Amino acid sequence: MPGDESSVVLCDDVLAEILVRLPAKSVIRCGRVCKRWRRVTADASFVAGHAVRRREMIVLPRSEPAAVRSMPLYTYPDDPRPEDGPRRFLCDRSERDGRTLVGWYDLLYSLDGLIVLGQLPFRYVVCDPVRRQSARLPELPPDPCFSVDPCGFYRHASSGEYRLLCHCLGKDQLDGAAGVYAIFQRERYFCVLSPSSPASRRLPARAPAPTHDPQDTTYEVPVAHRGSLHWFSEHPEAHGTGKMLAFHTLSETFRLMARPPPPERDTSSSRALFELDGKLGVVDLQSGTLSLDVWVLQDYEAERWALHHRVAQMPPPRCGNVLTVTMAVPMQGSGGVIMMGGPDCGVARLYNVKERRMHRDVFIGPESLTFLVFSESLVSHAFFQRPRCPVCTHLHKLALSLLEDTPDPEICTHL
């Protein structure tokens, strides 16, 4: 113990190497032991190194539709396999009136140890599972807003604010000539919500109108790279332009960017964008032939893609499931290994991009992969000290139940 003359005094490097292996809650407790331990655990390099080690993927068990759990993101043989690793309970996302199920909460995003939860109409909460803190985001007024689709969650570099980007769709506008309400004439705009601000803020950029469905304003989970969020294939302009959409988080401006060329023959391809070693990449799996193309964005400014390599035929999953690729994430300490797959195919594939070979398959079983990566963080945020909103009571209770070993009985009863 500190202060005991018979104890061995560890140097700061050895102490940091020990503490960095502990869960975030244990590190926070250790930081209260003495000033030296607090200085070691508060060091920026220690905080960054700890976050890298504590990466998990959020999964949704089909046998427990209300539960949200996580599994470790490990790769190498000396580490436990993801499918065999422990599942940590994160939260119960159901809303209940007594024992009656009345609704669900949406798990939207995970970034820097923060989780974003959503509840209609237009209510969102940011929570820190490690410190059991939560804060509401400003509510969007129902008038003139008809519907809202969250687009992405990011950290604004210059202000340090965490912001939720939303695509807002106004109410129908009356077409004077036809005398009817026209869906295509609805006002479309972007808003940003921040737990550090009391009100939402409208961006000057006009939101695009969908080219195939006037009411489709959905966005996939974006990939962050070089200070921008990137939506590869699911955004309002994807079908009409054949390009991906990028949002620069500092200037808050949008631009369309080129995508790799589509396959010439196989129309059953599925593609996913990922970021690895400071570059954007795309995996393109042709389901009919099980061939795989790996593309790399060689020149970001010129939007020039290059085919990194091609696998003529990959082995099919042994479980008999059809492998589709809609999302991909790098593994922890992977050395070039990514996990690619889809939420509902029951199997994900670990593929080594650098060595150009299949690592192995991960059989998820009765779970759905979200491909949302949760990393424990030791950073505290001042916006959690703001007063809570009464209408978000259920969401705050939900946030406080995060990362417990077992669900809170009181919360499960009342939600």
Side-chain angles (χ1 to χ4, degrees), residues 96 98 394 397 401 407-415:
R96 298 179 181 273
H394 290 305
K397 288 183 178 180
S401 72
D408 188 321
E410 180 181 356
I411 296 173
C412 293
T413 301
H414 294 288
L415 288 184

Side-chain angles (χ1 to χ4, degrees), residues 169-173 181-188 214-215:
L169 182 63
K171 293 186 176 180
D172 294 343
Q173 301 294 319
Y181 286 95
I183 295 178
F184 276 102
Q185 295 184 13
R186 286 176 177 170
E187 185 181 18
R188 304 171 190 276
Q215 300 190 71

Side-chain angles (χ1 to χ4, degrees), residues 16-326:
E17 186 64 26
I18 296 173
L19 296 179
V20 78
R21 302 173 184 273
L22 299 178
K25 289 185 178 180
S26 300
V27 173
I28 293 174
R29 295 189 185 102
C30 290
R32 302 188 183 116
V33 171
C34 62
K35 291 183 179 180
R36 176 170 170 256
W37 285 28
R38 181 177 180 84
R39 173 174 52 79
V40 170
T41 57
D43 183 76
S45 60
F46 178 89
V47 173
H50 184 272
V52 171
R53 286 177 173 267
R54 306 298 300 182
R55 297 179 74 247
E56 299 172 297
M57 181 179 289
I58 300 175
V59 297
L60 302 177
R62 294 189 180 94
S63 59
E64 304 173 88
V68 178
R69 299 183 180 272
S70 67
M71 72 177 191
L73 282 175
Y74 293 121
T75 301
Y76 294 117
D78 55 338
D79 291 323
R81 291 171 173 256
E83 62 269 39
D84 298 332
R87 299 293 194 265
R88 289 204 299 167
F89 177 82
L90 296 183
C91 64
D92 184 321
R93 63 192 185 101
S94 64
E95 180 183 4
R96 298 179 181 273
D97 182 8
R99 294 184 177 275
T100 303
L101 177 66
V102 296
W104 299 91
Y105 298 102
D106 291 326
L107 176 68
L108 301 179
Y109 305 107
S110 174
L111 175 67
D112 297 344
L114 301 175
I115 288 180
V116 182
L117 305 169
Q119 182 188 45
L120 293 176
F122 319 146
R123 293 202 295 264
Y124 305 98
V125 163
V126 177
C127 57
D128 180 351
V130 173
R131 287 180 168 80
R132 297 172 58 84
Q133 295 174 313
S134 61
R136 71 179 180 92
L137 295 175
E139 289 190 44
L140 289 167
D143 192 8
C145 203
F146 175 77
S147 67
V148 176
D149 283 287
C151 307
F153 187 60
Y154 64 96
R155 181 181 181 273
H156 190 252
S158 61
S159 66
E161 283 187 345
Y162 285 89
R163 298 175 178 178
L164 179 68
L165 177 67
C166 295
H167 183 139
C168 302
L169 182 63
K171 293 186 176 180
D172 294 343
Q173 301 294 319
L174 181 63
D175 187 341
V180 296
Y181 286 95
I183 295 178
F184 276 102
Q185 295 184 13
R186 286 176 177 170
E187 185 181 18
R188 304 171 190 276
Y189 56 94
F190 289 104
C191 275
V192 290
L193 315 177
S194 172
S196 305
S197 303
S200 61
R201 180 171 57 85
R202 184 166 172 169
L203 298 184
R206 185 180 183 274
T211 54
H212 62 295
D213 184 348
Q215 300 190 71
D216 185 6
T217 57
T218 58
Y219 291 75
E220 63 195 337
V221 177
V223 175
H225 175 69
R226 293 183 59 162
S228 295
L229 302 181
H230 301 80
W231 297 270
F232 185 71
S233 59
E234 189 174 349
H235 60 86
E237 295 180 286
H239 292 272
T241 64
K243 296 186 175 183
M244 66 179 184
L245 181 66
F247 171 70
H248 192 265
T249 59
L250 185 58
S251 62
E252 296 183 331
T253 56
F254 293 84
R255 72 161 171 159
L256 291 170
M257 297 183 64
R259 295 190 298 197
E264 297 179 356
R265 298 179 179 179
D266 196 336
T267 59
S268 60
S269 68
S270 54
R271 315 168 92 187
L273 183 70
F274 65 92
E275 199 268 353
L276 184 67
D277 295 339
K279 286 190 176 182
L280 285 179
V282 169
V283 285
D284 187 340
L285 177 68
Q286 289 80 54
S287 300
T289 60
L290 285 179
S291 62
L292 179 73
D293 292 345
V294 179
W295 296 83
V296 176
L297 187 57
Q298 294 285 15
D299 191 329
Y300 185 84
E301 297 302 332
E303 303 176 18
R304 186 173 67 249
W305 290 88
L307 181 63
H308 186 267
H309 66 273
R310 173 174 291 167
V311 180
Q313 186 174 10
M314 300 184 73
R318 289 179 298 173
C319 61
N321 294 42
V322 177
L323 179 64
T324 58
V325 176
T326 58

Side-chain angles (χ1 to χ4, degrees), residues 333-345:
S334 62
V337 177
I338 62 172
M339 175 184 284
M340 57 184 185
D344 301 315
C345 59

